[in-house]
Amino acid sequence: MSILEYNGAAIIAMSGKDCVGIASDNRLGIQYQTVAMDFKKIFKMNDKLFVGLAGLASDVQTLDQLLRFRMNLYELREEREMTPAVFTNLLSNMLYEKRFGPYFCEPVIAGLDEKGEPHLSTMDLIGAQAASKDFVVAGTCDGNLYGMCETLWKPDLEKEELFETLAQALLASVDRDALSGWGGVVHIITKDGVISRELKGRQD
């Protein structure tokens, strides 16, 4: 088993019409043993930017704290909020700096840029970026997630449709993965604010 699969995760980010969504499961496990059912994997960086971290739980929490520190430093220096594109490059550089002893995390970044357009990107554990216009996925059931997203996603989804699409894609995918699941959380980012909802999933 890969170290990235040790704790289990499932994260999706998806674009809509003037909105973007990000969803994750809640499970924290040690291989096939479930330890907690309320483990946070998606972190709010600012009102228009969220990051999901799939991978080793200790590195997920370390990276969250480090990213918060770097974001606050940027805002103090620049006197403005960080855009998703700048944040993506910051995170990519942070991961690449540690390439010889990497953080075992695969980040998923979702946000709205200055024009209010969706920004989606993901990267591997050493910061190699992959941007996308439709959806990005990470975690132990990424094959399932890709299949569900390719089936359900369509362009210009409204925020309610986007929530439904994300929820159905996530729940159907984690049901066939023993390392992720136990419900989930969905955040929809719009220009007016963030809508967050919890999902109830199979508890087995």
Side-chain angles (χ1 to χ4, degrees), residues 29-88:
I30 295 173
Q31 295 182 354
Y32 293 107
Q33 179 187 1
T34 301
V35 175
M37 293 83 78
D38 58 355
F39 185 70
K40 193 175 175 188
K41 296 169 192 175
I42 296 175
F43 304 94
K44 183 178 179 175
M45 293 290 121
N46 61 44
D47 291 339
K48 301 270 173 69
L49 178 61
F50 278 68
V51 62
L53 300 169
L56 193 66
S58 53
D59 283 352
V60 165
Q61 292 177 330
T62 304
L63 260 182
D64 168 47
Q65 290 170 354
L66 201 52
L67 284 167
R68 256 169 232 287
F69 167 69
R70 295 290 288 268
M71 287 273 293
N72 290 338
L73 207 60
Y74 179 92
E75 284 171 21
L76 280 168
R77 276 199 188 129
E78 300 281 327
E79 297 183 3
R80 58 186 168 140
E81 285 197 334
M82 198 179 277
T83 63
V86 173
F87 179 80
T88 303

Side-chain angles (χ1 to χ4, degrees), residues 76-120:
L76 280 168
R77 276 199 188 129
E78 300 281 327
E79 297 183 3
R80 58 186 168 140
E81 285 197 334
M82 198 179 277
T83 63
V86 173
F87 179 80
T88 303
N89 289 325
L90 167 78
L91 181 49
S92 179
N93 287 331
M94 277 171 56
L95 293 174
Y96 193 68
E97 277 173 12
K98 292 272 191 285
R99 64 191 177 277
F100 299 117
Y103 294 111
F104 294 108
C105 270
E106 292 179 337
V108 168
I109 296 148
L112 295 175
D113 63 18
E114 315 90 293
K115 297 174 188 168
E117 290 171 3
H119 173 99
L120 296 176

